[in-house]
Amino acid sequence: MDSQTSQPSQASQSPHTFQVDLRGLVDLLSHHLYSSPKVYLRELLQNAVDAITARRAEQPDAPAAVRLYAEGGTLRVEDSGIGLTESDVHSLLATIGRSSKREDGLQAARSDFLGQFGIGLLACFVVAERIRVVSRSARTPDAAPVEWTATDDGSYTVRTLPHEARTEPGTTVHLVARAGAGEWLTEERVRSLARDFGSLLPYDVRVGGEAIAELPAPWDRAHPSPATRRVALARHCHDLFGFTPLDTIDLNVPLAGVRGVAYVLPSAVSPAQRASHRVHLKGMLLTERAEQLLPDWAFFVRCVLDTDSLRPTASRESLYEDETLAAVREALGERIRSWLTGLAAGDPERLAAFLSVHHLGVKSLARHDNEMLRTMLPWLPFETTDGRLSLEEFALRHPVVHFTRTVEEYRQVAPIASAQGIGVINGGYTYDSELVEALPSVRQGTVVSELDADTVTAHLDAVDPAEELALSGFLMAARAKLDPLGCDVVLRAFHPLSVPALHLDDRAARHEQARAEAEDQADDLWAGILGSLRGSAPRARLVLNHLNPLIRRISSLRDPELIGTATESLYGQALLMAQRPLRPADSALLNRAFIGLLEWATHTEPGKDDLR
């Protein structure tokens, strides 16, 4: 701030002001940088822990204690850390962004510290109207204790105190609550926040005499047996995330500076849902919503871990995306991959239980990892015409592995293909067609082929030429009726007999159909352009089953109009059986055919052809 005078210190008569607009800083911190005022306590704990770390770098046997006392809208935080001299106070507290860790040769130990003292202390103005700091330096034992008092108008005073004011090195911070922020400084709230942020801190942290740290971390504690450890970790997961995990995965990655555990979700979640993980940085909780910690395919786990290698963002509430985070993400992904392959090799029952819930996540991984695909071949389930099978089982039964790319295509052909002995895999679900196509890369000699209308038609029995010739008039009338819809009519003999007609098309036929519809609705210019795009793509086809009794009766009709109405009805019924979305033209056809059949049924004249 500008030109605000302060009270003179005993050591210096010059005025002191912060070198920033403090009110603007408080607004920035509370509304833009930090997600909640609660982070003020994390900043205080970080400062205290860093001060102790700095002192122990020079005095390894120095005490390591942090004490917090909350009462009546005030908070007192005491630490046994490195402490400050008056010159330290001016240089470190008056200038935002300066850090005590950069002074006196401690730059080399930068990775041992959590935050920056100046900005961390000023963040307390989010909840406090006045901050008072009393400190004595361990680095300069003869220096007098120093007192720094600041208010939220941007002014501060610095003065030295008698030696008896503080006899031991360290720092005490006093906060007085801002109007409306008193709830943040109650003992109950302070204890809850300290336990949340500092449960894994390596030092003795207490609130009103109650210990906060719970070391060793849950994943490092000794247990009588693996079973009891699993139960203890499941309880920890339930306390943190609110669910009992299917399994736990240790995340001990020393090279990445990571220790922790991943909990496997007991129910399926969408792959698009961003997973949130709890990350501690050197024991201090950094965030409960780390979304970029694991590869996207590992959406079936929730993690809690401690790390000393990752870099926090400016707010220290999330992780900075850099090469280190990318390396940690890869290492954690490899650890989860190893857990999966270990289950496949040694615990098939647990693997089956896991896949029954999370097969989608494993399929996502196997798309890009041939080793994982090879390992999971006997386990990953797929919908097939032979039931729900793994790719390995299906390939053993069928010399050619046919698949469809959409669920609609599978529904069209599955009943007929099954009756004809053609094995088909439904590749319309997420990742399935990609995995089927990758099958030859991990299973030598396997032949994979996408199933299309021509393949299905080729497997259906041809009708005797003489019989088909006798029905040429009927077929001609039927084809003329469906030609405007871009659909051919063919006659075949196939099982099951109960199916009168089968609608077959493929993506190329649908694209051509969509192009033709667009051409019909376009103006002359666009119609000409779209017409020039007309290709030789196959048309959809309605395959009539010559073995079906209804088809035999319809094919004996002589009335062209009735043949057309019956053909439209068969076409509409085949579309509905295939569960295909109906175009407006298809809906209109169904209505027209329904009304036509009603009219025929209620106005039949004696001697007129009928279906009876």
Side-chain angles (χ1 to χ4, degrees):
M1 294 181 66
D2 299 343
S3 63
Q4 295 194 42
T5 60
S6 69
Q7 300 299 318
S9 76
Q10 293 179 3
S12 174
Q13 299 300 316
S14 60
H16 308 292
T17 59
F18 290 108
Q19 297 177 19
V20 295
D21 179 349
L22 187 58
R23 287 194 178 94
L25 174 66
V26 171
D27 179 73
L28 173 67
L29 295 176
S30 59
H31 295 105
H32 302 287
L33 186 62
Y34 296 132
S35 61
S36 166
K38 70 180 182 180
V39 297
Y40 88 92
L41 192 70
R42 184 196 62 201
E43 300 291 351
L44 287 174
L45 286 176
Q46 284 183 346
N47 286 340
V49 169
D50 284 346
I52 293 172
T53 302
R55 184 176 180 186
R56 283 202 158 185
E58 300 180 2
Q59 305 171 17
D61 296 330
V66 182
R67 299 290 183 264
L68 297 91
Y69 304 95
E71 183 180 2
T74 65
L75 175 65
R76 185 172 85 256
V77 181
E78 301 176 352
D79 71 64
S80 59
I82 194 70
L84 300 169
T85 64
E86 185 183 10
S87 62
D88 291 335
V89 168
H90 286 302
S91 61
L92 302 179
L93 297 179
T95 305
I96 302 304
R98 292 288 298 278
S99 172
S100 63
K101 297 72 149 182
R102 295 176 180 155
E103 303 294 331
D104 298 310
L106 290 181
Q107 175 65 25
R110 184 67 181 88
S111 63
D112 293 333
F113 299 100
L114 296 170
Q116 289 186 319
F117 189 81
I119 189 70
L121 189 60
L122 293 184
C124 293
F125 279 121
V126 172
V127 298
E129 67 176 12
R130 185 162 61 91
I131 302 173
R132 176 171 167 259
V133 177
V134 177
S135 187
R136 183 165 188 165
S137 175
R139 195 178 287 136
T140 312
D142 295 336
V146 61
E147 177 191 72
W148 176 85
T149 303
T151 59
D152 58 5
D153 65 359
S155 64
Y156 69 93
T157 63
V158 178
R159 66 189 182 107
T160 55
L161 302 176
H163 283 271
E164 59 270 17
R166 185 178 180 99
T167 58
E168 295 295 327
T171 300
T172 302
V173 179
H174 303 262
L175 302 185
V176 177
R178 298 168 63 88
E183 63 170 310
W184 293 104
L185 271 63
T186 63
E187 182 174 6
E188 181 180 0
R189 177 63 68 91
V190 169
R191 180 183 296 108
S192 173
L193 293 177
R195 183 175 290 114
D196 198 32
F197 284 120
S199 62
L200 298 184
L201 288 175
Y203 302 136
D204 181 15
V205 182
R206 296 175 182 269
V207 176
E210 180 179 334
I212 297 302
E214 300 175 354
L215 296 178
W219 48 85
D220 287 331
R221 294 171 191 168
H223 295 278
S225 67
T228 56
R229 181 177 187 269
R230 192 176 298 118
V231 170
L233 288 176
R235 189 181 304 115
H236 176 246
C237 174
H238 191 274
D239 292 342
L240 280 185
F241 298 116
F243 65 86
T244 300
L246 275 178
D247 205 352
T248 59
I249 308 169
D250 285 316
L251 299 178
N252 184 12
V253 189
L255 290 178
V258 169
R259 286 191 64 82
V261 64
Y263 295 114
V264 181
L265 291 165
S267 55
V269 293
S270 168
Q273 178 178 329
R274 300 294 294 178
S276 296
H277 310 288
R278 286 177 65 96
V279 177
H280 296 256
L281 181 61
K282 304 178 185 72
M284 182 74 72
L285 178 66
L286 182 70
T287 179
E288 299 174 280
R289 300 183 299 274
E291 295 182 348
Q292 69 273 49
L293 185 66
L294 295 181
D296 290 341
W297 56 260
F299 55 81
F300 50 83
V301 299
R302 297 292 179 268
C303 294
V304 53
L305 54 83
D306 188 25
T307 176
D308 60 12
S309 63
L310 297 179
R311 175 184 170 191
T313 59
S315 67
R316 293 195 285 284
E317 294 185 277
S318 59
L319 298 171
Y320 189 83
E321 185 67 52
D322 57 11
E323 292 181 358
T324 301
L325 179 56
V328 167
R329 183 162 50 235
E330 183 178 351
L332 295 180
E334 182 59 37
R335 183 65 195 88
I336 296 173
R337 181 187 289 109
S338 297
W339 169 77
L340 281 170
T341 55
L343 286 187
D347 200 338
E349 290 186 3
R350 242 187 336 153
L351 178 63
F354 165 76
L355 288 178
S356 68
V357 178
H358 295 298
H359 59 274
L360 200 59
V362 180
K363 285 181 176 180
S364 174
L365 170 59
R367 287 183 304 155
H368 308 296
D369 190 326
N370 280 351
E371 190 58 37
M372 179 59 65
L373 178 58
R374 185 179 291 106
T375 301
M376 292 293 136
L377 272 180
W379 308 102
L380 289 175
F382 288 78
E383 182 181 352
T384 80
T385 48
D386 292 351
R388 201 160 181 80
L389 298 176
S390 70
L391 290 182
E392 179 70 19
E393 291 176 285
F394 189 85
L396 288 173
R397 297 185 183 189
H398 299 279
V400 177
V401 177
H402 291 288
F403 73 98
T404 63
R405 291 192 182 276
T406 68
V407 174
E408 290 79 9
E409 290 173 356
Y410 178 80
R411 288 171 177 167
Q412 283 184 71
V413 303
I416 308 304
S418 180
Q420 306 303 312
I422 308 172
V424 184
I425 295 175
N426 184 355
Y429 296 115
T430 307
Y431 311 134
D432 282 8
S433 62
E434 296 173 74
L435 292 175
V436 175
E437 288 183 295
L439 188 56
S441 67
V442 297
R443 194 177 188 278
Q444 294 297 320
T446 303
V447 178
V448 172
S449 175
E450 182 177 354
L451 190 68
D452 55 22
D454 288 334
T455 303
V456 176
T457 305
H459 279 79
L460 304 180
D461 293 335
V463 177
D464 181 84
E467 292 187 56
E468 187 167 1
L469 181 62
L471 299 176
S472 59
F474 162 75
L475 292 174
M476 185 178 300
R479 287 166 181 156
K481 196 67 177 178
L482 295 187
D483 184 68
L485 297 174
C487 183
D488 291 332
V489 177
V490 297
L491 189 65
R492 292 290 187 273
F494 56 88
H495 293 273
L497 300 180
S498 58
V499 177
L502 175 66
H503 181 269
L504 293 177
D505 65 0
D506 51 27
R507 283 171 296 156
R510 289 194 292 276
H511 290 164
E512 172 61 19
Q513 197 172 54
R515 186 209 58 78
E517 289 178 356
E519 181 181 353
D520 291 340
Q521 298 172 8
D523 57 29
D524 292 342
L525 173 61
W526 283 108
I529 294 174
L530 292 171
S532 68
L533 297 177
R534 183 184 297 111
S536 58
R539 287 156 57 93
R541 67 199 68 179
L542 182 69
V543 184
L544 303 179
N545 187 0
H546 188 56
L547 300 181
N548 179 268
L550 178 62
I551 294 299
R552 286 183 174 271
R553 291 199 296 272
I554 291 176
S555 63
S556 65
L557 294 173
R558 296 292 179 266
D559 183 348
E561 183 177 346
L562 187 53
I563 290 175
T565 299
T567 301
E568 288 182 330
S569 299
L570 290 170
Y571 174 82
Q573 188 264 353
L575 285 180
L576 293 175
M577 290 297 294
Q579 301 182 49
R580 290 290 306 279
L582 299 179
R583 300 170 298 161
D586 297 329
S587 299
L589 176 145
L590 279 171
N591 290 331
R592 184 171 63 248
F594 178 71
I595 296 299
L597 288 177
L598 284 179
E599 290 180 348
W600 174 84
T602 55
H603 295 87
T604 300
E605 298 176 3
K608 189 171 183 177
D609 290 330
D610 57 44
L611 299 178
R612 290 171 295 178

